[in-house]
């Protein structure tokens, strides 16, 4: 059936139906003989309303059959029976879907509405009961029997009850802001008690079921009592609601006002497509695209449920939202496919880096095992070497060779453990550690991550970052790396970590034990020339806007730049010198000056300045001066140890900013000479009456270590015997109090430094022979190595006869 609206007292008064009633003479529509003559009555089912006798109610109808019923009834002057539907949602009610008890009504007037509907103003007359449905097309027609009301036996009690109902109705009107004040006037002007009861039953805020029960009640007294009870219940609810409203109004402060404003903002955001519901939907949609384990899925569902329970205006909501954003951004079980073309990988590594054979061999071995097994833990490689030898850029080449993503993580100066492990979510501004942020940035769970400058990690007030790396760089533990922000384990076993360092001395021993150490020595002269030709010159031509024909540097010129204008293990200074030549060429081009593209040796010195001496070992041409070999964090280097005698009482003094170990070496050397002076050919008188002063030049640079023992002893013997040291000779090694020579470290770097300085002969401990044999022979083709076990052998080789 068509939807019919129950227009309440409020709407009747506000819409002007009281005026309509005044304009229409209701006495003209009193019950006539037509009512008694009419045998069959059209039945109009309505919903959400119940009509009572002697009450005027407007009914809006929209269906054609209902409009037809009302218009024909008005035209014929028929009474209609108005009954309520049992289920207000029923669109096509059948006989079983309507109540059998209703009210006979007369149509007073029909008002046609613009949208095609009509409003019929009706007045109720009698209660009735349907005896039999005669027709149901186009609308219901039925035989009915009228129902009579039972008058109360005690009229005074009935009137008193109606007075109470009237008073209670007036109180309800005062409390309920939804009822207009005009209702007061309507109730006060109804003089008939029965009409007052029917009017209140019709317009009271009762349910349709409750009103239907009141209509079906034949006793007016019982009907009045039931109405009074329900009104009392409504009155109590209204009072309670008003009390709560008043209390809430008193407690409404600035914070609550802000809350309501935020709620409005939230509503606006939802209308615009944002808001918390949209957040949750976005996260769930993103999660559906992820590949992760059942454990991770359960954790995500738990955290998304926590987000839904939180107030969007609380600070914790944003923390939880950021956490879930990061959680769903992690790649989890997403991996890139490794490239198993070993020959191609070898070409990639050779093209990007010249030399570095050890590290290339190790990467190719890893790829070979990975190809055969198809699943293995990635190695933790630690590349140790001086600056400028390509440790960092090697990581990028390895990633290219394996077909993996590349991420560089600089650890220099890091002093907060949470930078590695992340912060807990309870802290403001909490975020994950750099490891997981790098994984997120790469988009895969098996990238190549270069941990740059791992030896320069600091230790501050907030923990020790290098200790936090113990779990990251342990292949047995990093399968479930725990980040404080993520709050669950993350698998790092497929990540290939490559750490770089200049020195092992500042790295924790447990951390070194977890890594595979690969020493990268400095480059030889030939390697530097080849690197310059293949990479550095092209790079500087591009950076300075030049082409390949702008300038050319041949092998002699490059050799001169390396020998006369640089002194390093790597190639950074060499690149700076080539950049200086490229800038000079750019200036000539900009000034449109003519120049020779083939840069000569003289032009190189003109551009780069005065060259340094070719051989630094010539300074040793006097007694007491020995060339030693030292290892520094930037590679190998040479240093000079001087000693001189003066008249005195046989005391020893030392200068040159020496450390404790070097001072002890000098003391041991002098005591050895005193004990063996006869064998060494040194008179006792010189030892008793000559003071000896040992000095290591460049006093501004701190020097320490055991490598200078044999050089100090040789220098003292040379001074006491007044004999020169053989030219172009250097040495390194430690001594014992009984004259035994001990091995030292950093042999490769020291020998390369010797070749750069023009040294021809080097004295080493016999135990260092294995270190020399591991070095390519091409590196040492102009260098003769003498192996010794005792100091007597050192003196015999070093001091000229």
């Amino acid at each position: 059936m068509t939807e019919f609206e129950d227009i309440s007292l409020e709407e009747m008064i506000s819409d002007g139906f009281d005026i309509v009633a005044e304009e229409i003479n209701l006495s003209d529509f009193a019950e006539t003989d037509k009512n008694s003559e009419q045998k069959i009555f059209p039945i109009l089912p309505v919903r959400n309303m119940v009509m009572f006798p002697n009450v005027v109610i407007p009914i809006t109808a929209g269906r054609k059959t209902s409009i037809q019923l009302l218009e024909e009834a008005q035209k014929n002057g028929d009474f209609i029976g108005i009954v309520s539907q049992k289920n207000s949602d029923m669109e096509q009610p059948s006989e079983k879907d309507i109540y059998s008890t209703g009210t006979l009504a007369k149509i007073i007037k029909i008002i046609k509405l613009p949208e095609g509907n009509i409003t019929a103003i009706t007045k109720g007359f009698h209660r009735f009961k349907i005896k039999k449905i005669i027709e149901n097309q186009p609308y219901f027609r039925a035989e009915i029997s009228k129902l009579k009301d039972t008058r109360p036996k005690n009229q005074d009690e009935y009137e008193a009850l109606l007075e109470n109902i009237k008073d209670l109705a007036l109180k309800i009107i005062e409390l309920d802001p939804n009822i207009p004040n005009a209702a007061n006037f309507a109730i006060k002007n109804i003089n008939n008690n029965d009409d007052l009861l029917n009017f209140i039953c019709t317009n009271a805020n009762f349910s349709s079921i409750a009103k239907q029960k009141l209509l079906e009640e034949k006793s007016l007294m019982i009907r009045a009592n039931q109405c009074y009870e329900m009104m009392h219940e409504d009155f109590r609810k209204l009072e309670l609601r008003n009390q709560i409203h008043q209390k809430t109004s008193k407690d409404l402060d600035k914070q609550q006002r802000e809350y309501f404003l935020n709620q409005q903002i939230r509503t606006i955001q939802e209308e615009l497509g944002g808001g918390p519901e949209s957040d949750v939907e976005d996260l769930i949609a993103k999660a559906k695209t992820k590949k992760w384990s059942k454990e991770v899925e359960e954790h995500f569902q738990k955290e998304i449920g926590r987000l839904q329970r939180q107030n969007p205006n609380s600070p914790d909501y944003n923390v939880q939202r950021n956490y879930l954003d990061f959680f769903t951004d992690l790649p989890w079980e997403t991996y890139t496919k490794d490239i198993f073309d070993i020959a191609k990988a070898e070409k990639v590594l050779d093209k990007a880096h010249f030399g570095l054979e050890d590290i290339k061999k190790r990467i190719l071995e890893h790829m070979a095992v990975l190809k055969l097994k198809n699943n293995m833990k990635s190695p933790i490689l630690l590349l140790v070497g001086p600056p400028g030898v390509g440790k960092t850029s090697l990581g990028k080449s390895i990633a290219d060779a394996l077909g993996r993503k590349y991420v560089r993580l600089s650890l220099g100066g890091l002093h907060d453990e949470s930078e590695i492990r992340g912060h807990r979510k309870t802290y403001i501004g909490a975020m994950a550690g750099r490891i997981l942020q790098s994984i997120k940035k790469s988009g895969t769970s098996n990238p190549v991550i270069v941990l740059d400058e791992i030896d320069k990690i600091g230790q501050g007030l907030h923990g020790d970052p290098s200790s936090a790396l113990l779990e990251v760089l342990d292949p047995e533990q990093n399968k479930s790396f725990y980040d404080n922000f993520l709050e669950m384990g993350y698998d790092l076993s497929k990540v290939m970590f490559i750490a770089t360092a200049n020195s092992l001395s500042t790295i924790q021993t447990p951390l070194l034990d977890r890594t595979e150490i690969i020493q990268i020595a400095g480059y030889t002269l030939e390697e530097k020339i080849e690197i310059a030709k293949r990479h550095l010159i092209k790079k500087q031509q591009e950076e300075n806007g030049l082409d390949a024909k702008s300038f050319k540097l041949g092998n002699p010129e490059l050799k001169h730049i390396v020998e006369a204008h640089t002194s390093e293990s790597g190639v950074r200074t060499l690149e700076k010198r080539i950049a200086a030549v490229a800038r000079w060429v750019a200036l000539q081009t900009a000034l449109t000056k003519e120049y020779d593209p083939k840069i000569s040796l003289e032009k190189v010195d003109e551009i780069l300045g005065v060259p340094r001496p070719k051989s630094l070992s010539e300074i040793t041409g006097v007694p007491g001066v020995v060339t030693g070999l030292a290892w520094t964090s930037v590679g190998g280097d040479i240093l000079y140890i001087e000693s001189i005698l003066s008249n005195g009482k046989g005391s020893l003094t030392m200068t040159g900013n020496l450390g404790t170990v070097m001072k002890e070496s000098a003391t041991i050397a002098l005591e050895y000479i005193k004990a063996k002076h006869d064998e060494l050919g040194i008179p006792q008188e010189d030892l008793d009456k000559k003071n000896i002063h040992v000095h290591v030049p460049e006093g501004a640079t701190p020097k320490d270590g055991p490598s200078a023992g044999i050089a100090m002893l040789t220098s003292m013997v040379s001074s006491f015997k007044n004999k020169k040291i053989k030219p172009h000779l250097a040495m390194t090694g430690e001594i014992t109090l009984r004259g035994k020579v001990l091995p030292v470290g950093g042999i490769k770097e020291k020998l390369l430094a010797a070749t750069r300085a023009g040294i021809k002969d080097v004295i080493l401990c016999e135990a260092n022979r294995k270190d020399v044999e591991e070095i390519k022979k091409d590196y040492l083709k102009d260098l003769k190595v003498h192996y010794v076990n005792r100091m007597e052998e050192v003196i015999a080789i070093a001091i000229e006869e």
Side-chain angles (χ1 to χ4, degrees):
M1 291 295 292
T2 305
E3 179 176 346
F4 294 96
E5 294 182 336
D6 176 11
I7 298 184
S8 63
L9 174 66
E10 170 196 353
E11 294 170 307
M12 287 173 60
I13 295 170
S14 62
D15 291 344
F17 287 117
D18 54 336
I19 300 174
V20 173
E22 289 177 7
E23 292 177 351
I24 300 169
N25 188 357
L26 294 180
S27 60
D28 295 342
F29 297 91
E31 188 175 6
T32 62
D33 292 338
K34 179 71 177 173
N35 184 2
S36 57
E37 293 175 359
Q38 189 174 346
K39 303 298 182 184
I40 305 299
F41 293 84
I43 303 299
L44 179 65
V46 295
R47 52 186 174 183
N48 298 322
M49 68 162 286
V50 178
M51 187 170 193
F52 284 78
N54 298 321
V55 177
V56 177
I57 285 185
I59 299 174
T60 300
R63 276 183 37 149
K64 292 181 179 180
T65 54
S66 302
I67 295 172
Q68 180 182 349
L69 184 152
L70 292 171
E71 288 178 344
E72 289 180 359
Q74 185 193 33
K75 181 179 179 181
N76 300 328
D78 291 341
F79 281 80
I80 62 173
I82 298 176
V83 294
S84 294
Q85 289 183 207
K86 294 178 181 178
N87 183 0
S88 61
D89 295 330
M90 185 69 67
E91 292 295 334
Q92 298 291 342
S94 64
E95 181 180 349
K96 296 178 181 179
D97 298 322
I98 60 176
Y99 290 104
S100 60
T101 303
T103 302
L104 280 177
K106 188 77 171 179
I107 300 173
I108 300 172
K109 185 177 182 179
I110 289 180
I111 303 172
K112 292 187 177 181
L113 303 178
E115 61 271 19
N117 298 343
I118 65 171
T119 296
I121 302 173
T122 60
K123 178 184 178 183
F125 284 96
H126 285 294
R127 293 187 308 117
F128 72 88
K129 188 167 185 178
I130 296 174
K131 292 170 63 177
K132 182 181 178 183
I133 297 291
I134 305 299
E135 296 177 7
N136 56 14
Q137 292 296 335
Y139 43 79
F140 289 118
R141 296 172 66 86
E143 292 184 8
I144 66 168
S145 61
K146 294 182 182 179
L147 300 177
K148 292 186 178 180
D149 294 332
T150 304
R151 306 296 306 174
K153 295 179 180 179
N154 191 335
Q155 188 65 26
D156 294 337
E157 181 183 354
Y158 178 67
E159 290 179 359
L161 180 58
L162 262 296
E163 284 295 327
N164 288 341
I165 290 174
K166 184 176 182 179
D167 292 340
L168 189 56
L170 294 175
K171 290 180 181 178
I172 290 173
I173 292 170
E174 290 179 3
L175 285 176
D176 194 343
N178 296 322
I179 301 177
N181 292 329
N184 248 327
F185 177 78
I187 290 177
K188 288 179 180 178
N189 282 277
I190 298 176
N191 297 321
N192 186 289
N193 288 332
D194 297 348
D195 292 348
L196 176 65
L197 178 60
N198 289 333
F199 181 83
I200 291 174
C201 287
T202 301
N203 294 287
N205 191 25
F206 304 153
S207 67
S208 297
I209 297 174
K211 289 181 179 181
Q212 183 65 31
K213 288 182 179 178
L214 290 175
L215 179 65
E216 293 175 357
E217 179 55 54
K218 62 182 180 179
S219 171
L220 291 175
M221 190 68 182
I222 296 175
R223 190 188 301 171
N225 275 313
Q226 291 177 349
C227 178
Y228 190 51
E229 288 175 3
M230 288 189 286
M231 288 176 68
H232 258 296
E233 186 177 350
D234 282 352
F235 180 68
R236 285 195 299 271
K237 289 180 181 177
L238 276 172
E239 279 188 325
L240 183 60
R241 190 173 70 181
N242 284 348
Q243 288 174 4
I244 294 172
H245 176 71
Q246 291 173 1
K247 183 178 180 181
T248 305
S249 299
K250 290 178 182 178
D251 295 339
L252 193 64
D253 55 8
K254 180 182 178 182
Q255 183 178 356
Q256 289 170 309
R257 287 196 298 273
E258 290 177 354
Y259 170 76
F260 287 122
L261 289 172
N262 286 329
Q263 287 294 99
Q264 291 176 344
I265 293 172
R266 178 187 171 192
T267 304
I268 293 170
Q269 288 175 340
E270 290 174 358
E271 289 294 327
L272 295 174
E277 289 79 7
S278 177
D279 290 345
V280 173
E281 290 172 2
D282 291 346
L283 290 168
I284 292 175
K286 196 189 298 184
K288 288 180 180 178
T289 64
K290 293 292 176 182
K291 291 192 297 184
W292 50 29
S293 64
K294 183 179 178 182
E295 179 187 358
V296 179
E297 173 67 25
E298 290 174 354
H299 184 80
F300 172 76
Q301 294 300 335
K302 178 182 175 183
E303 295 298 328
I304 200 75
R306 184 178 297 174
L307 179 70
Q308 289 173 314
R309 292 192 299 272
Q310 286 179 343
N311 186 342
N313 299 302
S314 69
D316 291 338
Y317 180 86
N318 288 327
V319 172
Q320 186 72 3
R321 176 73 169 85
N322 292 337
Y323 170 73
L324 286 170
D325 269 336
F326 180 79
F327 192 92
T328 51
D329 284 340
L330 284 173
W332 293 101
E333 296 182 12
T334 301
Y335 304 101
T336 53
K337 190 175 181 180
D338 289 327
I339 298 174
F340 295 132
D341 190 342
I342 297 177
K344 182 180 178 182
E346 187 174 12
K347 290 180 182 178
V348 171
L349 291 172
D350 288 339
K351 181 180 179 181
H353 293 270
F354 185 81
L356 307 177
E357 302 302 329
D358 290 342
I359 182 64
K360 292 178 182 177
K361 177 184 174 184
R362 180 64 187 87
I363 296 304
L364 295 177
E365 288 173 352
H366 170 68
M367 292 180 65
V369 176
L370 194 64
K371 181 177 181 179
L372 296 175
K373 192 179 178 185
N374 201 26
N375 183 21
M376 67 172 289
K377 293 177 181 176
S378 293
I380 312 293
L381 303 179
L382 175 56
L383 309 182
V384 183
V389 295
K391 299 185 300 296
T392 304
S393 59
L394 195 58
K396 183 71 171 66
S397 300
I398 292 171
D400 292 340
L402 289 170
R404 293 190 179 188
K405 298 289 186 180
Y406 166 77
V407 181
R408 176 180 167 273
L409 189 59
S410 178
L411 300 179
L414 200 71
H415 57 81
D416 190 347
E417 179 204 356
S418 56
E419 291 285 340
I420 304 296
R421 278 195 193 280
H423 308 78
R424 298 193 182 278
K425 287 193 297 182
T426 52
Y427 298 117
I428 296 175
M431 63 178 67
R434 293 196 183 185
I435 300 296
L436 286 192
Q437 287 185 17
S438 300
I439 297 286
K440 171 190 167 185
K441 179 181 178 182
S442 70
T444 68
S445 290
N446 64 336
V448 173
I449 296 183
V450 174
L451 302 174
D452 214 7
E453 310 292 357
I454 198 172
D455 58 326
K456 297 176 179 61
I457 294 179
Q459 185 170 349
L461 300 174
H462 304 289
D464 182 7
S466 61
S467 297
L469 282 173
L470 293 177
E471 183 183 5
V472 177
L473 300 182
D474 191 341
E476 299 299 326
Q477 295 182 32
N478 63 12
K479 186 174 179 63
S480 57
F481 169 67
Y482 186 88
D483 189 283
N484 291 326
F485 184 76
L486 188 63
E487 294 184 340
M488 69 180 305
Y490 193 91
D491 186 5
L492 298 180
S493 62
K494 303 293 190 300
V495 178
M496 187 171 189
F497 288 102
I498 299 175
T500 70
N502 298 130
S503 169
L504 298 177
S505 59
T506 57
I507 304 177
Q508 289 188 21
T509 304
L511 197 57
L512 288 176
D513 187 54
R514 286 163 164 78
T515 60
E516 186 176 338
I517 300 173
I518 298 178
Q519 295 279 354
I520 300 179
Y523 295 113
T524 61
L525 173 64
E526 291 78 7
E527 286 177 332
K528 289 183 178 180
I529 293 174
E530 198 65 32
I531 291 169
K533 289 164 64 178
R534 292 189 184 189
H535 304 288
L536 303 183
I537 293 177
K538 293 178 181 178
K539 181 180 177 183
Q540 291 306 318
Q541 285 173 343
E542 291 176 2
E543 290 188 358
N544 292 280
L546 304 172
D547 55 29
K549 298 179 181 179
S550 300
F551 72 97
K552 298 177 182 178
L553 290 170
N555 283 6
E557 290 77 24
L558 288 173
K559 180 180 179 182
H560 179 67
I561 293 174
V562 171
E563 291 180 337
H565 295 279
T566 68
S567 177
E568 59 170 350
S569 299
V571 292
R572 282 208 179 103
T573 305
L574 175 59
E575 184 177 2
K576 292 175 184 175
R577 300 294 179 261
I578 294 174
V581 175
R583 290 194 298 271
W584 179 86
V585 172
L587 178 61
Q588 306 309 309
T589 304
L591 295 173
T592 62
K593 290 184 177 181
E594 293 186 1
Y595 68 94
D596 187 357
K598 191 176 187 312
I599 308 297
S600 63
L601 291 174
E602 294 75 13
K603 184 60 70 176
V604 168
D605 288 339
E606 182 184 331
I607 296 170
L608 300 181
V610 179
R612 66 182 178 85
K614 288 186 177 180
S615 176
L616 297 178
S617 62
E618 294 173 358
I619 195 173
T620 60
V622 294
V625 181
V626 177
T627 304
L629 297 177
W631 181 92
T632 68
S633 61
V634 295
D637 200 0
I638 64 170
L639 55 81
Y640 301 102
I641 296 175
E642 305 173 330
S643 64
I644 193 169
L645 300 179
S646 60
N647 293 326
K649 298 182 179 180
S651 62
L652 170 67
T653 55
M654 290 168 282
T655 55
N657 201 352
L658 306 182
T660 305
V661 176
M662 289 191 74
K663 289 179 180 178
E664 290 176 351
S665 295
T667 304
I668 291 171
L670 182 59
E671 292 302 320
Y672 175 79
I673 292 171
K674 288 179 179 180
K676 302 285 185 179
H677 68 91
D678 289 335
E679 299 174 15
L680 296 173
I682 299 173
Q684 180 68 41
E685 185 180 357
D686 288 348
L687 295 173
D688 294 336
K689 296 183 178 181
K690 297 288 185 182
N691 292 338
I692 186 163
H693 184 99
V694 177
H695 175 68
V696 182
E698 298 182 15
T701 305
K703 294 168 279 289
D704 199 8
S707 301
I710 63 172
M712 285 186 169
L713 192 146
T714 304
S715 174
M716 290 180 186
V717 171
S718 173
S719 293
F720 278 118
K721 299 182 73 170
N722 196 27
K723 291 184 178 181
K724 299 178 184 179
I725 307 297
K726 289 180 180 179
H728 307 290
L729 180 140
M731 60 187 72
T732 180
E734 181 57 299
I735 59 170
T736 66
L737 195 57
R738 298 185 181 276
K740 181 175 176 60
V741 179
L742 301 179
V744 292
I747 295 300
K748 185 175 182 180
E749 288 81 0
K750 291 176 180 178
L751 294 183
L752 290 176
T755 59
R756 290 196 298 269
I759 302 294
K760 304 297 182 183
D761 296 273
V762 173
I763 299 175
L764 296 176
C765 175
E766 178 68 34
N768 284 126
R769 184 186 292 269
K770 60 180 179 60
D771 298 316
V772 178
E773 290 176 352
E774 291 177 357
I775 304 172
K776 270 188 173 184
K777 292 182 180 180
D778 293 345
Y779 291 5
L780 310 176
K781 60 184 179 181
D782 296 327
L783 196 66
K784 183 178 181 181
V785 181
H786 304 270
Y787 299 102
V788 298
N789 284 313
R790 296 198 53 80
M791 267 311 302
E792 295 87 343
E793 300 175 54
V794 176
I795 293 169
I797 296 171
I799 296 179
E800 290 183 340
E801 293 298 330

